[in-house]
């Protein structure tokens, strides 16, 4: 089976071709056109610019994906497109483009939940004998979402914890901005944190771990951002000399909270495997720490951590198997589509 994946939920335009034989995927192409440079100037994603870029990029990225896969459009069996959650103007561009392709070429189409896509990035590079066992606990951490999802089987999700305000990636992005680092903030903070070591600590900066000890599995990150805001405002030394220490402590605080709640969820729900997913799963510290929580931890290969269409095609495959695809007419972008 050959699946064309299309992803435009935020600021990356991506098209991928996935071949699946006996449940085993091979990524034939996965083209990602990033808009980071464009949005960097504004310190974050500008929705109207993102939508305009998607419209411009989609045909080019599609051509490239077909060329790299050495296929013709008639070979494709299914189109899988992200239909939510995400920025509505961005989603609409991808969904309309995919619907148009499906109609003109008479292909079946399926709408994929972006967060389910992130979860399925864990299926992209494993032998079928090593797939995650259910029930699985998924920690999905991206720019827009921070969730603990209990997955009983393919397509069966229960949301057992989520952020009450900012997402973990959003916290990285906002804190980065406060300390003068570029967008996206996650990689910038991780890089800057590496310049710090405890032995050169000058300020003994300590940031809060919001809600770490609350009884539930929910998160809150906006207080952390506010703490950094006050810290920077009240600094008595130049920011340049404190930046790496703030970056280090902010990363430690975010990862501590994520790990603490994931550990608690494992104790409460006894999953057979633990999956990390979403753009923040690119974070090295998080990737290392989560491995210590359970004997069966899955982390996506680096190339599939941030937004890409290969993961959307993968999730689309399992949705298609469950026959939950919508007719062309009913498929619409839904900016607030919850995974459950
Ligand atoms: O999943 P994603 O590509 O887009 C959304 O669906 O939101 O996630 C993007 C988020 C951004 O907030 C970015 O700062 C964060 O992932 N991110 C990281 C790292 N790489 C990307 N956060 C921490 N450490 C990283 N290395
Ligand atoms: Zn994402």
């Amino acid at each position: 089976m050959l699946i064309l994946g299309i992803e435009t939920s935020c600021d990356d335009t991506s098209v991928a071709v996935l071949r699946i034989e006996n449940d085993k995927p091979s990524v034939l192409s996965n083209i990602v056109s990033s808009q980071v440079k464009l949005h960097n100037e504004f310190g974050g994603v500008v929705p109207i610019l993102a939508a305009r870029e998607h419209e411009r990029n989609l045909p080019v990225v599609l051509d490239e994906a077909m060329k790299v896969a050495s296929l013709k459009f008639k070979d494709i069996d299914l189109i899988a497109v992200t239909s939510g959650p995400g920025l509505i103007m961005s989603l609409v561009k991808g969904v309309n483009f995919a619907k148009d392709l499906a109609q003109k070429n008479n292909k079946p189409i399926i709408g994929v939940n972006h967060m389910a896509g992130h979860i399925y990035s864990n299926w992209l590079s494993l032998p079928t004998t090593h797939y995650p066992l259910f029930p699985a606990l998924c920690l999905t951490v991206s720019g827009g979402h921070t969730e603990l999802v209990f997955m009983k089987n393919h397509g069966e999700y229960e949301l057992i914890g989520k952020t009450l305000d900012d997402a973990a990636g959003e916290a990285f992005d906002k804190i980065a901005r406060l300390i003068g680092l570029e967008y996206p903030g996650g990689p910038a903070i991780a890089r800057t944190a590496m310049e710090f070591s405890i032995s050169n600590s000058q300020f003994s900066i300590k940031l809060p771990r919001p809600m770490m000890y609350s009884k539930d599995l929910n998160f809150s990150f906006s207080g952390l951002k506010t703490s950094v805001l006050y810290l920077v405002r009240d600094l008595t030394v130049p920011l340049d000399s404190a930046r790496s220490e703030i970056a280090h402590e902010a990363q430690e605080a975010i990862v501590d909270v994520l790990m603490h709640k994931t550990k608690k969820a494992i104790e409460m729900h006894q999953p057979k495997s633990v999956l990390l997913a979403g753009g923040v799963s690119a974070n090295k510290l998080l990737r290392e720490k989560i491995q210590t929580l359970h004997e069966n931890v899955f982390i996506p290969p680096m190339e599939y951590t941030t937004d890409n269409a290969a993961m959307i095609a993968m999730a689309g495959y399992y949705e298609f198997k469950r026959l939950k695809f919508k007719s062309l007419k009913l498929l619409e972008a839904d900016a607030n589509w919850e995974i459950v």
Side-chain angles (χ1 to χ4, degrees):
M1 181 171 193
L2 286 162
I3 306 177
L4 183 83
I6 298 176
E7 155 66 37
T8 64
S9 67
C10 189
D11 60 341
D12 290 308
T13 315
S14 181
V15 179
V17 180
L18 196 64
R19 166 176 283 135
I20 302 194
E21 280 166 323
N22 300 322
D23 280 351
K24 172 81 186 93
S26 327
V27 180
L28 302 187
S29 63
N30 183 38
I31 312 297
V32 183
S33 168
S34 164
Q35 305 175 8
V36 159
K37 276 201 194 119
L38 173 74
H39 299 290
N40 197 353
E41 271 180 58
F42 303 95
V45 179
V46 184
I48 195 157
L49 293 183
R52 190 192 70 192
E53 287 300 296
H54 285 312
E55 185 156 5
R56 230 183 245 171
N57 293 340
L58 272 165
V60 185
V61 177
L62 171 69
D63 273 358
E64 180 73 10
M66 298 306 294
K67 207 188 293 163
V68 172
S70 302
L71 290 171
K72 296 266 178 294
F73 206 86
K74 66 172 176 40
D75 303 324
I76 297 292
D77 300 302
L78 172 71
I79 299 172
V81 60
T82 305
S83 51
L87 300 172
I88 189 64
M89 283 190 287
S90 290
L91 289 165
V92 164
K93 295 294 177 192
V95 168
N96 287 348
F97 183 76
K99 281 171 81 163
D100 201 43
L101 275 178
Q103 206 154 29
K104 282 188 182 137
N105 298 281
N106 199 21
K107 303 285 181 191
I109 183 170
I110 190 164
V112 171
N113 181 290
H114 180 78
M115 299 317 289
H118 275 301
I119 289 173
Y120 276 98
S121 63
N122 282 291
W123 269 257
L124 278 170
S125 62
L126 296 172
T128 50
T129 47
H130 289 64
Y131 279 166
L133 294 174
F134 295 116
L137 175 73
C138 315
L139 172 66
T140 55
V141 271
S142 71
H145 289 76
T146 295
E147 294 175 344
L148 279 163
V149 176
F150 193 64
M151 194 176 173
K152 290 184 210 118
N153 209 328
H154 288 296
E156 285 178 36
Y157 308 100
E158 190 189 334
L159 189 60
I160 57 172
K162 64 174 183 177
T163 183
L164 304 179
D165 41 57
D166 292 354
E170 191 178 356
F172 272 111
D173 295 337
K174 287 179 173 170
I175 291 170
R177 206 171 168 178
L178 290 172
I179 60 173
L181 297 173
E182 76 269 26
Y183 170 85
I189 288 199
R191 247 188 339 267
T192 309
M194 283 196 339
E195 292 162 19
F196 172 81
S197 71
I198 298 294
S199 58
N200 66 20
S201 169
Q202 298 178 49
F203 315 106
S204 303
I205 288 167
K206 200 76 194 144
L207 290 168
R209 272 68 174 154
M211 277 181 72
M212 187 148 94
Y213 297 107
S214 69
K215 288 208 174 70
D216 55 22
L217 296 172
N218 292 330
F219 303 89
S220 164
F221 290 105
S222 73
L224 184 60
K225 168 199 64 192
T226 311
S227 298
V228 175
L229 177 77
Y230 293 145
L231 182 73
V232 171
R233 189 193 62 187
D234 300 338
L235 269 181
T236 51
V237 294
L239 178 58
D240 276 351
S241 62
R243 185 177 290 111
S244 70
E245 186 164 348
I246 300 174
H248 175 266
E249 175 61 9
Q251 177 175 248
E252 290 287 331
I254 294 170
V255 172
D256 270 358
V257 175
L258 292 173
M259 288 304 88
H260 199 86
K261 288 286 161 108
T262 307
K263 188 161 176 259
K264 192 177 175 121
I266 293 170
E267 285 161 8
M268 286 168 70
H269 293 269
Q270 302 287 319
K272 289 199 175 128
S273 42
V274 173
L275 278 58
L276 181 61
V280 182
S281 73
N283 187 272
K284 196 163 162 268
L285 183 67
L286 182 60
R287 291 169 81 87
E288 282 166 11
K289 287 215 167 157
I290 200 167
Q291 311 259 15
T292 63
L293 297 186
H294 195 271
E295 62 275 17
N296 254 326
V297 175
F298 295 81
I299 49 178
M302 281 304 272
E303 64 195 299
Y304 305 126
T305 51
T306 47
D307 292 349
N308 67 88
M311 69 185 196
I312 301 303
M314 191 72 245
Y317 171 69
Y318 282 100
E319 275 302 278
F320 187 71
K321 278 199 9 165
R322 283 160 29 87
L323 286 180
K324 268 190 64 186
F325 61 97
K326 292 179 184 166
S327 73
L328 244 181
K329 260 201 201 130
L330 290 177
L331 176 62
E332 266 178 37
D334 177 358
N336 302 314
W337 183 10
E338 287 264 12
I339 192 166
V340 281

